[in-house]
Amino acid sequence: MESISTQQNHSYKEVETMASFSRRLAAPAFLAAAALLVGCSSGTAGEADSAPAAGNTDAPAYDLLPQEFKDSGVIRIAMASTAPPYSSAAGGEWSGLIPELGMAAEPMLGIDIEIVDTPYTGQIAALKAGKVDMVWGATYDNVDTEAVVDLASYMRSAASPMTLKSKNITLEEPEDMCGHIVGTIAGGGIQVYLENFAKDCEASGKPMDLRLYDTSSGATAQLQSGQIEVLLGIDLIQRYAAKTLNDGAVFEVHDVQVLPSIYGMAFTKGDTELQEAMMEAVRQIMKNGEYSKVFAAYDAEKYELTPDEVMINGVGAGKL
């Protein structure tokens, strides 16, 4: 697993934000050129540009930012580089639904966003250790997670099972996963769900063999090699993998969705000012249409929230 001290980071500038939507197909090459023009940083967690650009005090969410971020001109955000289509850093350039939401939100904040490449299983630890200022990823909003961090809702999600087409496995309901070798990502809500579900499988006389992995790509590789029979993962990630590998000839994503859920940006408990600033930035891109453009580009419209649904710890409060 990649250590936090050696993770990559990347600063987005406003010129990149505009290009990511108007020139989507050419984005990687254009962003590389833009990085040379605007001096994007690349280093380890905790580093910042030696002379941060002055903030845009007219940005809609700027006044809500804590003074320390107005002074530094940058927010360090943990994201995983191995979770397409949510986030990826293939070739050293960030892409995906979450980085593009960040690109759109950055002008609303008036300061830079610096992405710190952090494996999913280490994101909350990095936040608590002060390596990053917040986490923007596939963090499930549930009461257990809310006890550790504050979560600002920004999208919906669900989990779906994926199998090898060559295995001809039939999955029509969750119970059909019983009796199989099932894998998922360690440390998240799906693991908790499967651990509880495995008890029901055991009671039914069809025990489940549960395997855990650190990354989506690692789990997918285990499925492809036949080491596991079913991979229960985030629906968008599963469908992306099934669609892109060998033109859809390898994997099948079954229409058995479980764990309808809310994803939240994670913050240190009580970091109210930063939370309010980020939520306002997200509401602004919802209102100006950029939020929906990003979701449409990834066939994820059904997972959108409305501005009124962007809130802190909404699941625990029974509001989402």
Side-chain angles (χ1 to χ4, degrees):
M1 183 183 299
E2 187 178 25
S3 66
I4 292 174
S5 63
T6 61
Q7 291 154 4
Q8 303 173 14
N9 59 38
H10 184 83
S11 294
Y12 287 114
K13 307 297 180 182
E14 186 169 351
V15 64
E16 297 172 325
T17 303
M18 297 169 62
S20 67
F21 297 101
S22 62
R23 298 175 62 182
R24 172 177 299 280
L25 295 178
F30 178 82
L31 292 181
L36 295 175
L37 291 173
V38 300
C40 292
S41 66
S42 180
T44 59
E47 289 182 352
D49 294 340
S50 57
N56 176 11
T57 59
D58 293 327
Y62 182 85
D63 287 343
L64 297 173
L65 287 166
Q67 188 60 46
E68 65 181 284
F69 295 105
K70 295 176 182 177
D71 293 340
S72 69
V74 64
I75 300 174
R76 301 166 302 161
I77 301 181
M79 291 187 196
S81 63
T82 57
Y86 283 99
S87 56
S88 174
E93 298 296 336
W94 285 93
S95 62
L97 187 150
I98 297 174
E100 289 199 25
L101 288 177
M103 292 182 209
E106 186 182 63
M108 304 300 108
L109 294 163
I111 63 174
D112 291 340
I113 284 176
E114 179 181 82
I115 298 179
V116 180
D117 184 1
T118 313
Y120 175 75
T121 52
Q123 289 177 348
I124 299 301
L127 175 64
K128 294 179 74 66
K131 301 292 186 180
V132 295
D133 302 309
M134 58 172 284
V135 175
W136 200 341
T139 306
Y140 284 94
D141 187 346
N142 56 48
V143 292
D144 292 333
T145 308
E146 288 177 6
V148 180
V149 294
D150 284 333
L151 294 166
S153 49
Y154 73 93
M155 70 174 291
R156 300 184 186 280
S157 184
S160 297
M162 183 167 69
T163 62
L164 282 174
K165 285 187 173 181
S166 61
K167 296 291 186 180
N168 294 316
I169 295 174
T170 299
L171 298 176
E172 296 180 345
E173 56 186 4
E175 288 73 17
D176 292 334
M177 292 188 291
C178 292
H180 289 289
I181 304 173
V182 180
T184 194
I185 307 302
I190 299 177
Q191 176 186 343
V192 175
Y193 169 83
L194 283 176
E195 287 174 342
N196 291 326
F197 190 74
K199 297 175 184 177
D200 295 333
C201 292
E202 184 76 28
S204 71
K206 299 175 65 177
M208 172 193 295
D209 184 354
L210 178 58
R211 311 279 178 88
L212 302 176
Y213 303 97
D214 288 332
T215 65
S216 295
S217 57
T220 302
Q222 292 299 301
L223 177 64
Q224 186 176 2
S225 68
Q227 298 302 305
I228 57 176
E229 297 172 299
V230 180
L231 174 59
L232 186 63
I234 298 167
D235 182 63
L236 278 182
I237 293 178
Q238 305 275 66
R239 294 187 185 280
Y240 176 85
K243 180 180 179 180
T244 56
L245 185 62
N246 290 355
D247 295 323
V250 178
F251 297 128
E252 177 181 1
V253 179
H254 299 261
D255 291 326
V256 181
Q257 290 201 341
V258 299
L259 279 180
S261 55
I262 297 292
Y263 282 167
M265 299 176 284
F267 301 86
T268 301
K269 297 290 289 184
D271 194 0
T272 307
E273 289 180 299
L274 181 57
Q275 295 167 13
E276 291 296 333
M278 289 303 303
M279 287 193 295
E280 180 60 23
V282 171
R283 293 187 189 107
Q284 287 292 327
I285 64 173
M286 287 176 168
K287 293 174 182 177
N288 69 19
E290 296 298 341
Y291 176 92
S292 289
K293 287 181 183 178
V294 174
F295 277 78
Y298 292 95
D299 297 322
E301 295 95 331
K302 65 182 177 181
Y303 294 125
E304 292 184 33
L305 293 181
T306 65
D308 290 342
E309 292 173 317
V310 178
M311 62 183 72
I312 293 295
N313 299 338
V315 171
K319 297 179 179 179
L320 292 173

